[in-house]
Structures are given as structure tokens and as C-alpha cells.
Amino acid sequence: MAISEINRAGSSSEAEKNPWNSNEMMTIAAARTLRDGMICFVGIGIPSTAAILAKATHAPNLFLIYESGTVNTNPQKLPLSIGDGELANQALSVVGMPEIFNYWLQPGRIDMGFLGAAQIDRFSNINTTFIGESYENPKVRLPGAGGATEIAGACKDVIIIIKQTTRTFVPKIDFITSLGFGDGPGSRERNGLIGNGPKYVITDLGILEPEATSKELVLTALHPGVSVEQVIANTGWDLKVAKDLKESAAPTTEELERVRALVATSSRKKS
Amino acid sequence: MAISEINRAGSSSEAEKNPWNSNEMMTIAAARTLRDGMICFVGIGIPSTAAILAKATHAPNLFLIYESGTVNTNPQKLPLSIGDGELANQALSVVGMPEIFNYWLQPGRIDMGFLGAAQIDRFSNINTTFIGESYENPKVRLPGAGGATEIAGACKDVIIIIKQTTRTFVPKIDFITSLGFGDGPGSRERNGLIGNGPKYVITDLGILEPEATSKELVLTALHPGVSVEQVIANTGWDLKVAKDLKESAAPTTEELERVRALVATSSRKKS
Amino acid sequence: MSKFASLEEAISANVNDGDTIALEGFTHLIPMAAGHEIIRQRKRELTAVRLTPDLIYDQLIGAGCVKKLIFSWGGNPGVGSLHRFRDAYQNGWPRKITIEEHTHAGLTNRYVAGASGMPFAVLRGYFGSDLVDKTENIATIDSPFDDQKILAVAAINPDVTIIHAQQADRQGNVMAWGITGSSKEAVFAAKRVVVTVEEQVESFTPKFNSIIIPEALISNIAVVPKGAWPSYASGYYERDNDAYIAWDEVAKERESFTKWLDQEIYAKSSDAYQGSEA
Amino acid sequence: MSKFASLEEAISANVNDGDTIALEGFTHLIPMAAGHEIIRQRKRELTAVRLTPDLIYDQLIGAGCVKKLIFSWGGNPGVGSLHRFRDAYQNGWPRKITIEEHTHAGLTNRYVAGASGMPFAVLRGYFGSDLVDKTENIATIDSPFDDQKILAVAAINPDVTIIHAQQADRQGNVMAWGITGSSKEAVFAAKRVVVTVEEQVESFTPKFNSIIIPEALISNIAVVPKGAWPSYASGYYERDNDAYIAWDEVAKERESFTKWLDQEIYAKSSDAYQGSEA
């Protein structure tokens, strides 16, 4: 995910001083949802950037767990893989994966889990398995579940981070890798899931949240410079919009500087 | 178990040079059954003395595990409790009890397990729970199962070490804490036990082994100086005696010296 | 909002009458001082869970704190019987207690299930033992993949688990090393966790066979030097085998036990705890 | 009868055509050199188990060693797709492979069940996922203690598990530290175990987050410095992220992969393995 998107927030005065791109806004919006002291189950990419940013700013006591076994880790640079040496070196402890999945994740001990997706539907069900007609003959084979299915099931709350287009926000996903709200209210309970399900879907355009009763995603906030029409045009279903639609605060100088400093720690060469 | 028994082997010439007591003979007989390289699940008391003796003599690569979590330990003095510091300090590693019971014992990885008992019957079923009429109103409440039930079930072979009297060798034990051969052939299989069951019952008088077909205990060896009549008189059922009844070799000077040196390492005061 | 507290505060804040408690530690690191403080605060109607009741639960039972004991091996290790346990169970003094008796493998897996947030765990255990007919919270289930019968043990989730460890760091993370038994699982299984430690340190140094309990799992920590005496704390002091033997005499008669209770527990304050004096 | 052997001997003695193999290590300590030797010895019809196939199984699959892949996350971490896996699965080149796809929690617990000698393990997993309908070796069972539905995963017991670790001592015990993933369970679950290590040492020194694999569990050990490259070995070398990126280009086309296979695997002998040259 190269940092090369057009800054969508061309009109605000903050943006003129501090132009940002949509990845940065998405990362910062995710970081802001984290409260100090939370236990977060984190993945690689924007979730890591967001969690490290939150820990460096308003939530110094965030407790970060990665599925590789690193417990309460405090990475100073962006991990490039889920089992990065930096995550182990900066951890309070490193434990085996049975302990991570059975003792930490499964009992509902995690406050917030992060998920990405290739596809999402209106009930926040997500697909990271394949795109195409059939499991056996996929058009595009994706990596699969990894930790996602049980993260979606067992964390108290879940944040999904995904770029919003009609290819990703689809009426029907090709495969349910991880359950959001299934086909609506009661679905999670019927399936035996103990967590509350997705709380926020954070995109490069705004923030969506499940409606309390229907569990259908509703657009609740726009990032600065984004229009409702733009979001609707990038959603593959008839998107509901909150009456009290908010606008995300523009990134502060501190947030932007820290995100950029973090991204700069990444030693990964671009191929 | 004070070392104060009368030496039953008053008549042999070896005994005249090296008088031993019945605890020593029982310990040495148990040690001799162990082969080098075996993985042994060991308890406190005579099993520990026997295992450490074997490791110091003919079986230097015995691999000793205690239920407290000490893996491949090499105690230089007798442990007084199952979680003795000596066992931890001399161990290759110390692991949690779930790993001991679930990963080491349960899959049948242990070659030889040691058990003691308050009562034993002709099918080597043992009782370490209570003596008396009922579980709810025992005459004597004993410690209970601890690791014994699963040791009896899962070790490839089991050695039971017990003093032989009509109080311990009884027609019907008051409670089956750990299954030997149940009510005879097929009982272990019906109960889902994967180990072979007791291989030797080693007493202060001799050695008993289950008959291949009936699984009933048969006296197969007498310790030096002990008569068949003596063993029968100390057994609460009509004891079978092997046609080719053997006599245990008397303790060697080395065996005796090592047992006594080990017992002397015990810092436990007599109350 | 530091989680460090006095022993008195830690017990008072986390142990309630009627709770299910688990004071774990297998021979090593038994939280004896915490047990004494529970007696001193005269907690009642406790369901007390521990693989090996050991002296700690003999004392709690004799003091009348316990209504039910859940255990898997009930002796004075290397010495003999637990007289107070037997007197309560067989004679109802100072009160009748009920028992739920397991095997070590079974009770360990009850903690594993509790730690895992599962209703049960599975093992190949209890088979052929008369315990099957006497013990609650076990059941036989069918393997869905072959024709094996498997034993299921119900999860146990103590209201509070109390352990003793060697060290806490400044943030309140805890490090224990040496034999830790089923302590990790008892901690993960619990709703609240109290830890007593030998000392607070600036930071941990690597040890073989160590476990770390993150501060996030802990409700309160109390620094209680010698808090495991007469059991032991590897790196700090050895097991006081003489005290285990001496306990046999103290516990044998109600009178000698009552005298011990008055002199060593009730007459002392919680911060006067010094194992070596008892 | 030392268990130390050359890598060639260790693979030859323990990996047979048709075996179920598990080369574990999660991002860290991936036994890459052992994987290359399996390719070099042209093992065939393997069922290959690993949470993250990673480069190591992309290579084995591309070389035609694998008939079935059992996994839970099939990407090139931080880079993208595993092209050889996709080409085999979707186009049958160089041969058709079947897959059995799990979640990390599920496959980890398949190892746990195997390590425990049980027919299955239980978890609250897969629920609500379409994987339930696609994946073998999972089943729903009823809790015997309440009305919960629980997921059971069948045990997996590889014919051989291969891991890479930092050190072996003279007796052949192995110590690994840092991220160990599901390696311990994969070792306990296996019928045979091969370990490659960075070096042999006189004795171990304490490390945080270390595990010890006793010699008794190990079939053969080979000393293979840089044997985890381009993954990493904490304390020895770091992950070669550039090599992971470069693999994307190598694996993208059959021609470039075949050339890599010829030059880097078949043209080299097992004792010439030096990760940094590949």
C-alpha cells in the first residue's frame, strides 16, 4: 500500500498546511478509536501503524498482542511481518500460539481486534479467502482466514479497515471468511460467537458503524473533503447515511508527523 | 518408611557380609527392572530411590519425569516432595502440569510409570483413596489419586511398589483409584486405556507379575531368604505361584552402598 | 492506579464470603501468607480449589473458612495426612465440608478449560477408576472422528486465583520461575487475580523455566517476602521440611491447632508476616 | 548412537514419499534449508502441513513434492501471493494439489490434539465462516455440561515434523527462543522429529521466552547455520525482507521459478547451503 494516494481533503485549511493522503487519514481515524489500557489484537499494515500511533499519542498503555505470540509489545518501528523480530524484542513476553488463541483470544479477553478484508457486505461479513465463482475454481485466491475468523468471533469489539470501492463494498461477498452480523440481528448469537462484532468500519472515505437494531452498516462520519455522494458511489449497495453525519477531524500535525516517522522506519524496499 | 525392618535374608552368605533390610531389597529390585534410555514417570519415596539408583548404576540415560513438571531431571539427593527444588535445579527443563499430563503422559510417551498403593487386588487394581465401608464415611481417608489414575492408564508399563501384608494384598479393594486389569482380560481395552498395565508388583517379599492370559498376579520371584509360605501368608487371596519361581539376586555391595548413600542425602528429620 | 497493595488490602478487595478460590502453586511457591490473611479476615463459605490442599488448605479448613474442597491429592507431602481436612470431612469439625475429588490430570484440565473460556476440556482420564461415579463435573463424550470414548471435565473459573511468585517489576508484571504447576492456567481461568511476590525489581533478568504474568491479568499485587514459607521460592529460600513435619503435630489435635490459630494468625497482623517465626 | 547427522542424512532417514510432513516455525525459525533438501531429494506425494505455507511450501509445491496442502494463511507475508501455490491449485502446474484450509486457531489445535494423543481438541472457532462447509476434519459437538455447541478439530500427527532452532547442546537437546508459534505442539504431535540448528553449544544459557526440546523427542539433528534464511533466527540474523520481495518475482513465472530450482537447489549440494548466497 504505497503512500501515493491523492489527498482527498484539498479544501480544508488544515489540509493546506498539512496535506495528507487517504491512507494516513484512515490510519489516524483508526488510532483515534483506541482508548488507553485496551488490550488490542493487532495485524500487520495499517492496524499496526494505527496501534503504534495511538500508543505514542493518547493511549500509552495500549496492550498489543499479535497472533505470532508477542504479548504486550511496544514496537518502535513498523513490523513488516506478523512475526517480526521487532515485535518479539519489544514484547513483555512471547508465548506459543496455543496460548494466544486459546487463553487470550478465545475467552473474550481482547478489547479490540483489527481486521482487513478484500470484500465486505452490509452486515460487516468479510471475505479474505477468494474472489470468484467457486472455492474450488477461484478467480483470485487470497491468503485465507489466518487468525481472522476467531478474532471476528471472540474480541469484545472489532475494527475493520478497508479501502472503499464498489469492488470491496459488495452486495454479496463471495465467501464468508469471518462473520460480522451474518444476515442481521441474532445471527452472531445463533452461531455461538461471544464478541459484540464489528464496531467501526474505517475506510479511506469515512467511518461506518452498524445500526443498533438492524446491524446494517451506516455511514456515520466523512473524512474531511469527502462527500456523501462520493461514498455512495464507492459502495456496492444502497448505503444508509446517519442523520447526524459527522466529519472526522483533520489529522493534527503531531498525528501526521508520527505516522510518517513510523512509515519511514519501515526498511522494506519497494520492488 | 524408616530403615528398621528386620533383615529377612538372614541365611545367605551375601547377607552375612552385607545385611540389608526389606526396603533396600524392594528398592534394588525395582531399580533392576529399569533399562537404560527409558522414559520413567517417577513419584516420591522408593520410586525415586530406585530410579536414581538405576541411573547411577546400569542405566545412566534414564529419562526421569515428575508430575510437578521437571523433565529429564538428574537428582543427586533424594527429593522429599514431588516438587522438590532439587528436582527443578537438576532438570533439563521445567514445564507446566498441562504439558506433563497432556503432552507427555497421555499420549503413551512414558515407558515406565511407578505407583504405590494402600491396597492391591489380584488384578493389580489399586486403591489410594480410602479404607473403609464408604467413600462418604471412610475409616481412613488417604490422599487420593494425584497422578496415579492416568499413570496407570497411559504408561506403556507400570511398576507397583508395595509392602506385602494381608492388609495391603486384599481380595477386594475398597475403592479402585487406578485400574490395573479390572476384572481380567479385556477390561483395560473396554475402559479405553492405552497402556499395557502393571508389569511388575515389587514387594518387600518378592516380585509378582500378571499372568499373560488371565492377568491375575503370580508370584514369580522371591527375595533372598523369603519362603513361598511367607508370601502366601501375607496375601489376602489364594496366591498363584509360578512354576519356575526365581530368587532375586541379593543386593550387591555397590547397590547397597549407593542406596544408603542416597537415603543419607535426605535431610528430613524424623519427628 | 497502581495494583500494588498491602496483603490485607489485596485479600480484602478480592476475596468475598462464598467465593470460589484457587490458591495454586505445586509444592513450590504456595501462597501461604495469603492463606493466613484469608483466615485472619475470617472469610467464610469458600469453595477452595487446589490440586494439593497441602498445609495451606488444612489451615483454612481448620479455621472454618471452607465449605467445599475441590482437589486431586490430599496429603501432607512426604509426611502423611492432613488432619484438619480429615477432621472436617469425617467429623464435621469445625464444620462439615463437602469434597469434589479429581485426578491431577483432570483438575489441571478443569483449569485449562477455564483459562480457554470453554465449557469443558477433554482428556483420556479417570477411566476405570471408581472416581467416575463419585465426582461431579466430569462426563463421557463420543469422539466425532472415531469410535473412542473421551472424558470431558467442566471448566472451573475461580472468582479469585491467588499465586505467589518471585518478582514483580515496577509496572506490576510478575515473573515466576521453577516449578509453576498449574498456576498459569489457574490465573487465566480466574475472574480476579492476586499475586504475592518476594520482591519488586526494576526489571527482570532471563531465567530458565520462567513464566511472565502480564499486569493486565492481575487485580492486586502484594510484596510479601517469605510469603510461600514453609513451601519454597526458588532463588530465595528452600522448602522448610521440618515445618511440614512439625505441622503434623500441630494439626493432629483440635487443641493444638486452635492454639496455633490464635497465636500465629489471629494474634498477628498481616504485615507482621514472617514465615520463619511461625 | 548420536542423533547428530548431516542435513542430507537427516532428511533421507526421516522423510519418505507419501508422508505427512509439518515444517513449522511462524515467520521466525522457518526450516528453509530442510525444505530445500526435501526438494533436492525429490520427495513426492507429500501432505504438507503448516499454518503459513510461506516461501518454503511455495517452493516445495512448485517443485512437485506436494499432493495436498493443509494450511491456515497462504500468502507471502508483507508481499502478496504465493504464486507457485496458486499455479498448482488453480492450474495444476506442475501437478494438481488439493487443499485443506483451516483457521490459525483451528490448525494450532489440530497440533494440540496430536501432541496430546487425543482424537480431537475443542475450540470456539470457525463459527459463522463458510470454511465450516469446505473443511475436512472439523465437527460440531454438544457440550455435556451446558447447551453450547463447540467445534472439534481432528488431531493431526505428522509422520515427521521439522523445525529450525538456535542451539543444540552436546546431548542433542535443543533450545529455541523468541517466536516459536505452534512448533512445540507440532513436535509433540509427530512420529519423527528433525531439527536443524544454527550451532551446537556446550550448554545453554538462560533466555527469555525459550523452549527446550528434549533429545528424547528428536530423531535427528543437523547443524545448519543460516538454515532459516530468509526467515530469521533471533540472536543470529534478521529476516531478509528483500529476499521475500525478490521471491515474488522469481515465483511469478514458471520459467523463472524453474531456473531458480535448477540453479539454487538441484545444482547445489546440501552441505553447500548458505542462505545468503541464494
Side-chain angles (χ1 to χ4, degrees), chain D residues 26-196:
Chain D
F26 195 80
T27 308
H28 182 218
L29 294 175
I30 300 177
M32 295 281 188
H36 291 175
E37 182 60 22
I38 292 171
I39 297 174
R40 195 175 289 116
Q41 294 190 17
R42 297 178 196 266
K43 303 293 183 185
R44 289 295 179 266
E45 299 291 318
L46 302 174
T47 295
V49 191
R50 224 184 111 71
L51 271 68
T52 57
D54 204 272
L55 270 51
I56 191 171
Y57 279 4
D58 208 34
Q59 293 166 359
L60 278 163
I61 290 167
C65 304
V66 175
K67 72 171 178 192
K68 181 177 180 181
L69 176 69
I70 300 177
F71 74 107
S72 45
W73 192 87
N76 179 343
V79 179
S81 289
L82 295 175
H83 302 291
R84 296 296 96 224
F85 160 49
R86 286 176 60 170
D87 200 17
Y89 181 59
Q90 298 183 223
N91 309 315
W93 191 92
R95 57 163 295 168
K96 189 77 189 158
I97 63 166
T98 60
I99 63 172
E100 179 184 319
E101 184 171 3
H102 291 272
T103 67
H104 281 347
L107 189 46
T108 289
N109 278 297
R110 291 199 66 189
Y111 285 135
V112 169
S116 304
M118 295 293 288
F120 63 95
V122 291
L123 70 156
R124 193 178 285 110
Y126 299 80
F127 289 157
S129 169
D130 286 342
L131 272 178
V132 172
D133 299 325
K134 294 293 179 189
T135 298
E136 305 161 63
N137 290 311
I138 67 175
T140 305
I141 63 174
D142 294 313
S143 164
F145 301 108
D146 56 25
D147 57 3
Q148 290 189 62
K149 299 272 182 194
I150 293 298
L151 206 290
V153 289
I156 199 157
N157 290 101
D159 293 302
V160 56
T161 286
I162 304 177
I163 63 166
H164 187 74
Q166 283 96 338
Q167 296 178 344
D169 69 11
R170 285 205 300 174
Q171 289 72 45
N173 304 298
V174 164
M175 179 163 164
W177 64 85
I179 291 167
T180 52
S182 298
S183 294
K184 184 194 271 192
E185 285 67 30
V187 163
F188 273 102
K191 299 180 186 117
R192 299 182 297 278
V193 173
V194 171
V195 185
T196 57

Side-chain angles (χ1 to χ4, degrees), chain C residues 10-42:
Chain C
I11 297 301
S12 171
N14 292 285
V15 181
N16 304 312
D17 287 355
D19 274 358
T20 295
I21 64 170
L23 279 66
E24 270 300 341
F26 195 79
T27 308
H28 182 218
L29 295 175
I30 300 177
M32 296 282 188
H36 291 176
E37 183 60 21
I38 292 171
I39 297 173
R40 194 175 290 116
Q41 294 190 15
R42 296 177 197 266

Side-chain angles (χ1 to χ4, degrees), chain A residues 84-133:
Chain A
D84 209 90
E86 174 75 3
L87 295 175
N89 295 339
Q90 303 294 334
L92 171 64
S93 67
V94 183
V95 300
M97 290 176 82
E99 185 166 328
I100 291 290
F101 286 108
N102 294 347
Y103 290 0
W104 283 97
L105 179 60
Q106 183 167 262
R109 226 178 280 281
I110 308 295
D111 295 306
M112 189 67 86
F114 283 93
L115 292 174
Q119 291 182 326
I120 185 169
D121 68 17
R122 69 178 71 212
F123 290 116
S124 303
N125 303 301
I126 63 177
N127 175 16
T128 56
T129 301
F130 74 90
I131 306 293
E133 289 297 307

Side-chain angles (χ1 to χ4, degrees), chain A residues 205-224:
Chain A
L205 302 179
I207 299 175
L208 300 88
E209 298 177 54
E211 202 176 51
T213 51
S214 73
K215 302 300 181 188
E216 183 174 335
L217 281 174
V218 175
L219 179 68
T220 57
L222 293 170
H223 295 328

Side-chain angles (χ1 to χ4, degrees), chain C residues 58-266:
Chain C
D58 209 33
Q59 293 166 358
L60 280 163
I61 290 167
C65 305
V66 177
K67 71 173 179 191
K68 180 177 180 181
L69 176 69
I70 300 178
F71 75 108
S72 45
W73 192 87
N76 179 341
V79 180
S81 289
L82 295 174
H83 301 293
R84 294 298 95 223
F85 161 48
R86 285 176 59 170
D87 199 17
Y89 181 59
Q90 297 182 225
N91 310 315
W93 191 93
R95 58 163 294 168
K96 189 76 189 161
I97 64 166
T98 59
I99 63 171
E100 179 183 320
E101 185 172 2
H102 291 272
T103 67
H104 280 348
L107 189 45
T108 290
N109 278 296
R110 290 200 67 189
Y111 285 134
V112 168
S116 304
M118 295 293 289
F120 64 94
V122 292
L123 70 155
R124 193 178 284 112
Y126 299 80
F127 289 157
S129 169
D130 286 342
L131 273 176
V132 172
D133 300 325
K134 293 294 178 189
T135 299
E136 305 161 63
N137 290 311
I138 67 175
T140 305
I141 63 173
D142 294 313
S143 163
F145 302 108
D146 56 25
D147 58 3
Q148 290 189 63
K149 298 274 182 194
I150 293 299
L151 207 289
V153 289
I156 200 157
N157 290 100
D159 293 301
V160 56
T161 286
I162 305 177
I163 64 165
H164 187 75
Q166 283 97 337
Q167 297 177 345
D169 69 12
R170 286 205 300 174
Q171 289 72 45
N173 303 297
V174 164
M175 179 163 164
W177 63 88
I179 290 167
T180 51
S182 297
S183 294
K184 184 193 270 191
E185 285 68 29
V187 163
F188 273 102
K191 299 179 185 119
R192 299 182 295 280
V193 173
V194 172
V195 185
T196 57
V197 294
E198 288 297 321
E199 65 171 334
Q200 193 185 339
V201 297
E202 276 302 299
S203 63
F204 301 134
T205 51
K207 298 273 182 187
F208 281 124
N209 309 308
S210 59
I211 61 170
I212 303 278
I213 311 285
E215 175 269 354
L217 297 178
I218 299 172
S219 309
N220 282 118
I221 307 178
V223 178
V224 185
K226 289 213 84 178
W229 177 91
S231 85
Y232 71 109
S234 182
Y236 289 81
Y237 46 91
E238 300 209 352
R239 190 170 188 265
D240 188 343
N241 293 307
D242 293 345
Y244 272 83
I245 293 166
W247 180 253
D248 193 66
E249 282 303 311
V250 171
K252 203 167 268 170
E253 302 299 331
R254 295 174 186 174
E255 293 67 29
S256 51
F257 170 75
T258 304
K259 189 178 155 200
W260 174 87
L261 202 55
D262 287 337
Q263 291 185 347
E264 299 299 331
I265 306 294
Y266 295 134

Side-chain angles (χ1 to χ4, degrees), chain B:
Chain B
M1 293 180 222
I3 304 167
S4 58
E5 303 281 320
I6 295 158
N7 181 352
R8 300 188 191 257
S11 63
S12 88
S13 64
E14 179 72 20
E16 280 162 31
K17 285 185 294 178
N18 258 323
W20 68 85
N21 67 37
S22 60
N23 263 334
E24 289 165 348
M25 184 68 232
M26 185 157 55
T27 305
I28 290 164
R32 289 171 181 167
T33 66
L34 301 175
R35 293 189 305 278
D36 201 20
M38 277 183 164
I39 302 180
C40 297
F41 205 97
V42 189
I44 293 304
I46 288 182
S48 270
T49 320
I52 299 169
L53 172 64
K55 205 165 158 63
T57 53
H58 66 283
N61 299 306
L62 270 189
F63 186 107
L64 307 185
I65 293 191
Y66 288 73
E67 66 189 17
S68 51
T70 58
V71 174
N72 201 2
T73 184
N74 188 21
Q76 301 300 304
K77 55 186 182 182
L78 275 191
L80 295 166
S81 71
I82 194 75
D84 212 90
E86 175 75 2
L87 295 174
N89 296 339
Q90 302 295 333
L92 171 65
S93 68
V94 184
V95 300
M97 289 176 81
E99 185 166 328
I100 290 291
F101 285 108
N102 294 348
Y103 291 0
W104 283 97
L105 179 60
Q106 183 166 264
R109 227 178 281 280
I110 308 293
D111 295 307
M112 188 68 86
F114 284 93
L115 292 175
Q119 291 182 325
I120 187 170
D121 68 16
R122 71 178 71 213
F123 289 116
S124 303
N125 303 301
I126 64 178
N127 175 16
T128 56
T129 301
F130 75 90
I131 306 293
E133 288 297 308
S134 84
Y135 180 79
E136 289 72 21
N137 276 303
K139 187 170 148 218
V140 181
R141 173 69 224 197
L142 305 165
T149 306
E150 286 81 16
I151 292 171
C155 294
K156 285 174 197 153
D157 292 305
V158 170
I159 297 179
I160 299 168
I161 300 178
I162 180 170
K163 290 209 181 191
Q164 195 157 4
T165 74
T166 50
R167 285 184 302 105
T168 56
F169 278 63
V170 297
K172 186 173 179 342
I173 63 181
D174 294 338
F175 189 88
I176 300 178
T177 310
S178 307
L179 201 72
F181 294 101
D183 53 10
S187 187
R188 290 183 66 82
E189 294 76 6
R190 279 195 303 279
N191 279 285
L193 302 182
I194 64 169
N196 298 325
K199 184 169 185 174
Y200 302 108
V201 177
I202 295 177
T203 82
D204 49 338
L205 303 180
I207 298 174
L208 300 88
E209 298 176 54
E211 203 176 52
T213 51
S214 73
K215 300 300 182 188
E216 184 174 336
L217 282 174
V218 175
L219 178 69
T220 57
L222 294 169
H223 295 329
V226 178
S227 68
V228 171
E229 294 67 32
Q230 208 178 337
V231 183
I232 288 172
N234 280 287
T235 305
W237 68 81
D238 188 16
L239 179 67
K240 290 188 182 176
V241 178
K243 287 194 185 121
D244 59 339
L245 184 66
K246 296 185 180 62
E247 182 174 287
S248 307
T252 67
T253 305
E254 188 199 359
E255 285 170 333
L256 268 183
E257 283 175 355
R258 286 193 182 271
V259 166
R260 288 170 185 171
L262 264 176
V263 171
T265 62
S266 161
S267 61
R268 176 178 156 189
K269 286 186 198 164
K270 300 296 162 190
S271 56

